[in-house]
Amino acid sequence: MSNSASGEESSLEQAKKIMTKFVQRQVFAESKDEVAVVLFGTDGTTNDLARGDQYQNITVHRSLMLPDFDLLEDIQDVIKPGSEQADFLDAIIVCMDLLQKETIGKKYEKRHIELFTDLSSPVSEDQLEIIIANLKKTGISLQFFLPFPVDVDDRGGNTSANVYSQMHRNSFPRKGLSEQQKKGIDVVRKLMHTLDEGGGLEEIYTFRESLERLSMFKKIERRPMAWPCQLTIGSNLSIRIVAYKSVTEEKVKKIWTVVDAKTLKRDDVQKETVYCLNDDDETEVQKDDTIQGFRYGSDIVPFSKEDEEQMKYKTEAKCFSVLGFSRSSQIQRHYYMGNQVLKVFAAKDDENAAVAFSALVHALDELKVVAIVRYAYDRRCNPQIGVAFPYIKDAYECLIYVQLPYMEDLRQYIFSSLKNNKKCIPTADQLSAVDSLIDSMNLVYEDDDGETFEDLFKPSKIPNPHFQRLYQCLQHKAFHPNEPLPPIEQHLLEMLEMPHVVKERCQAPLEKVKALFPLKEVGKKKEEKTAQDIFKDNSEDGPNPKKPKIEDEEGSFSIIKLAEGNITSVGSVNPAEDFRILVRQKNADFKDVSQQLINRIDQFLENKGSQYYMKGINCISVFREEAMKLSKVQCFNDFLQALKSKVEDKALADFWEIMIQDRISLITKDEAEGSSVTSEEAEKFLAPKEKKNEILPPTDEGGDVDDLVSTIKT
């Protein structure tokens, strides 16, 4: 395997690269698989079967053990080409003997031999039938790795080896094969075809194909850890269950530590923590004389370890209790949170639990409802509220648990509506262009019949690029501690790129979208203002001719207004001020601007809560003020009458109480011309309707778990 053409790597060097990749994957994946290395064609002989001239020039370089960095160093630096030749079939027999002897008393799932050869050494078929029989008898699997593809066209069948060979036939340097290599190919074919008539030839790989497949570091293998518990419904129904993590965020298990830069030993570094007062002398104090504090406003509240223990939420034990049921349509996708997904099954070997659990899963599925549950991993953990979905497959059925948010976890944001802005309404051509773009970027390839054929982008099959890069750098530093880190490998950069098929397919729709949604540079410049204009003394005699009309009545220009730029619509951050500015612009449509403000007020009332109520009250006050100034009295009065009906329908009595306290009522004819409302009518308008002994629901200012459940079910 040491022979090579000029400018090309030898077969041995290529094989060492593949072995290095394989061992790296095993090391970083913390695999429990043990690996041995047997070399054939060595100058010496070290194996248990060597007798006379039998099994010569075959060396057991390393016995069966867990792979480590020592093995990686051996592959790179110790394994060198020899001057002798050996039969690869003899090497297989030595490997079989080693596996048989060194797995005695060990638990294993399978035993496997991977053979790297260029088939240039002599081979004898005398023991071929014996080798095949023993491989089948012991259940040892075999794979071949060759520097060139094996032509399987004449063997028929649409095997993956055949497909790969057709795709990459011209990508390999095809120098002429020797007669010995041709004979070796025939032996390999006969051996692998006899072992498995259907797919034996698929276990023959090329070096290049193997390097591509091994370019990704293997993920860390995890054993499923069962979480047994009782699923309870009320106080009388209990079902034994067991749960497993189905999806969870993977963290880097390697722990960074501080070591001495010269000796690289952790014990040579001693850490010492000293506590000092914040005074001139930095007086040292003992740790026992310190106590942790919690900042509360400008004060610090002392909080001892005993206080912290007493404060902790006390959970009696682990639990998976059903609090109630809700329609599945009520659980919106953006409610899902947490860092894991659990699959919940009935307990094994419990027929009663299996029957009851199956009935629950099927009932949830048929009724299209889900269970709202209280979940606590153990008594040391805070409880969660979550949702359990029914999940039925041909092979199994289970509940899938996902955590739901508490009130504090929700973020309520208000954004301007695109529907209310005429400039944002797309044309039919624009809608059609975007539809075409979405269709062209479909990641699921479908045939003409509409049946799914292939998934072009599988996130579940894509390794985390962060882990891949970390392992690459760690491996490099282990062997080259004084060299800079290598560049990021190209396959890592391409890992999260758009598939090439999709990229080519979406070019035409993208050009159409680009043409229908042109980007134009806005040439209008903002009016420049100097610091003198901004901070000018208002007491100066004479009017400022450059001052906008809006500021004649509202006071001097402010830095906040300058930062806001041109106001084009009533926003959610400062809607009252936006409304005030918009209605005073030239050619302003008061009705349109006031409708934008009304939409904002409606959003605030929908969200509820005192902070939203006060924002809505401020908007109404400004609306009333501007309506009187601009003689739009009837517009405001119509709005306020409609608002009162809406408040009564949605049971917003607490909001109307604020309106009464602030005396915000209809505009009377005493306040502005154009109004027909008297003072008595305005006073009477504020008075709420008489309550008919109905209990108003609580506001969203607080609530417990049951409140959240009832909110989800409504």
Side-chain angles (χ1 to χ4, degrees), residues 190-375:
K190 183 177 180 180
L191 171 60
M192 300 305 291
H193 188 71
T194 307
L195 284 174
D196 185 355
E197 294 183 3
L201 298 180
E202 294 183 4
E203 298 301 317
I204 304 174
Y205 301 95
T206 64
F207 286 173
R208 177 172 297 186
E209 179 185 6
S210 304
L211 281 172
E212 291 176 358
R213 294 190 177 193
L214 293 172
S215 61
M216 302 297 180
F217 288 97
K218 188 178 178 183
K219 71 176 184 179
I220 297 178
E221 298 176 354
R222 303 292 189 194
R223 285 189 175 184
M225 297 294 294
W227 181 75
C229 193
Q230 296 282 343
L231 185 155
T232 59
I233 304 177
S235 57
N236 298 323
L237 180 57
S238 178
I239 304 173
R240 289 182 60 219
I241 59 169
V242 59
Y244 299 90
K245 288 184 179 180
S246 176
V247 179
T248 187
E249 182 184 0
E250 183 65 42
K251 301 288 182 68
V252 178
K253 194 174 181 180
K254 300 291 184 297
I255 300 175
W256 299 105
T257 186
V258 177
V259 298
D260 185 85
K262 295 181 179 180
T263 64
L264 301 182
K265 293 182 179 180
R266 184 172 57 181
D267 296 337
D268 292 344
V269 178
Q270 299 293 330
K271 293 183 180 180
E272 183 178 357
T273 303
V274 177
Y275 296 88
C276 300
L277 296 177
N278 187 18
D279 56 14
D280 295 337
D281 298 330
E282 293 186 352
T283 307
E284 183 177 342
V285 295
Q286 298 299 317
K287 184 179 179 181
D288 295 339
D289 296 331
T290 64
I291 187 173
Q292 64 180 0
F294 187 88
R295 185 175 294 279
Y296 189 79
S298 60
D299 300 324
I300 295 180
V301 179
F303 222 77
S304 65
K305 292 293 184 182
E306 292 77 10
D307 296 330
E308 188 176 359
E309 287 297 323
Q310 294 179 14
M311 180 192 67
K312 287 183 179 178
Y313 190 99
K314 296 296 189 280
T315 303
E316 294 182 358
K318 59 183 177 181
C319 74
F320 198 83
S321 303
V322 176
L323 304 178
F325 300 95
S326 173
R327 293 190 301 272
S328 57
S329 59
Q330 294 296 113
I331 309 300
Q332 301 182 42
R333 178 64 185 85
H334 61 271
Y335 285 162
Y336 299 173
M337 64 175 294
N339 61 356
Q340 67 177 9
V341 175
L342 300 180
K343 283 188 175 180
V344 183
F345 301 87
K348 293 182 179 179
D349 304 325
D350 190 333
E351 184 177 349
N352 294 331
V355 172
F357 187 81
S358 178
L360 174 63
V361 172
H362 282 271
L364 292 174
D365 183 64
E366 293 173 7
L367 297 174
K368 291 182 172 52
V369 298
V370 295
I372 306 300
V373 301
R374 179 182 188 269
Y375 164 76

Side-chain angles (χ1 to χ4, degrees), residues 106-175:
K106 293 182 179 181
K107 293 182 179 180
Y108 57 87
E109 294 183 3
K110 65 178 180 179
R111 294 177 293 185
H112 184 69
I113 297 174
E114 295 180 351
L115 187 68
F116 298 84
T117 178
D118 61 358
L119 302 177
S120 59
S121 59
V123 59
S124 173
E125 299 183 48
D126 296 342
Q127 300 189 75
L128 184 59
E129 297 299 328
I130 298 176
I131 292 173
I132 293 172
N134 279 280
L135 285 172
K136 290 182 175 180
K137 180 181 178 180
T138 58
I140 297 175
S141 58
L142 177 65
Q143 287 179 329
F144 275 90
F145 295 85
L146 309 177
F148 41 77
V150 176
D151 190 359
V152 294
D153 293 353
D154 56 341
R155 296 293 174 180
N158 186 20
T159 64
S160 63
N162 193 352
V163 174
Y164 191 88
S165 177
Q166 291 291 341
M167 292 173 58
H168 297 271
R169 184 182 307 279
N170 297 327
S171 62
F172 290 87
R174 293 305 304 268
K175 60 183 180 179

Side-chain angles (χ1 to χ4, degrees), residues 650-661:
K650 296 189 176 182
L652 298 171
D654 44 356
F655 171 76
W656 198 251
E657 285 294 330
I658 302 175
M659 292 280 290
I660 295 174
Q661 292 174 11

Side-chain angles (χ1 to χ4, degrees), residues 618-635:
N618 186 36
C619 290
I620 296 171
S621 299
V622 173
F623 189 3
R624 191 177 193 276
E625 179 183 339
E626 295 302 322
M628 287 191 296
K629 290 180 179 179
L630 300 174
S631 301
K632 300 293 183 180
V633 175
Q634 193 59 41
C635 183

Side-chain angles (χ1 to χ4, degrees), residues 172-183:
F172 290 87
R174 293 305 304 268
K175 60 183 180 179
L177 298 180
S178 66
E179 291 299 322
Q180 183 58 56
Q181 287 176 318
K182 292 178 181 178
K183 180 182 178 182

